[in-house]
Amino acid sequence: MQQWKGREAPSLAEIEAMAEAARAALPEAFRGPAAAVVLRVEDFAAEAVLDEMQIEDPFELTGLYEGVPLTEKSVFDPSGPDVIWLFRRPILDEWVGRGDVALDTLVAHVFVHELAHHFGWSDDDIAHIDRWWE
């Protein structure tokens, strides 16, 4: 435990920088559309979000896509930007619990998972393609 003495957990800004690095590393075909998505990092999801999703434990939600997937967008959709939310404390909790993955890799995974929803992929599609936990 001595290696953590005097050290602090990564800040919101550091988690955001890890996600932005993942965005910059996307293949060219995805980089442009991904640039239009706003990234927000908070410690936890808002209580209203957790209630709406029927999530009792705020540590269960590491990320959230808020918007209309590209496959469903039309000119009649609200003009606000799509947003990907990353939740620092649940991400850190998962990272510590796993103990087998680098933090920047986990942040990138959560970000890309949420970004996949922006591209119109379902959770099943994502799980079929991204089996990173195996």
Side-chain angles (χ1 to χ4, degrees), residues 57-126:
D57 181 356
F59 282 95
E60 290 180 15
L61 188 62
T62 55
L64 178 67
Y65 169 69
E66 191 174 68
V68 179
L70 292 175
T71 55
E72 300 173 20
K73 279 198 187 294
S74 78
V75 294
F76 301 109
D77 287 322
S79 61
D82 292 357
V83 178
I84 289 177
W85 295 89
L86 298 182
F87 304 114
R88 183 181 79 100
R89 296 280 309 278
I91 289 171
L92 292 175
D93 193 60
E94 180 176 338
W95 174 60
V96 169
R98 290 182 60 89
D100 65 349
V101 65
L103 180 57
D104 61 339
T105 300
L106 180 59
V107 170
H109 170 74
V110 174
F111 175 75
V112 170
H113 178 98
E114 299 309 330
L115 188 60
H117 289 303
H118 174 68
F119 291 116
W121 299 359
S122 71
D123 278 331
D124 287 341
D125 294 335
I126 297 165

Side-chain angles (χ1 to χ4, degrees), residues 10-11 13-23 103-105 107-108 111:
S11 67
E14 289 168 315
I15 298 292
E16 182 176 351
M18 291 176 204
E20 288 295 355
R23 185 187 331 234
L103 180 57
D104 61 339
T105 300
V107 170
F111 175 75

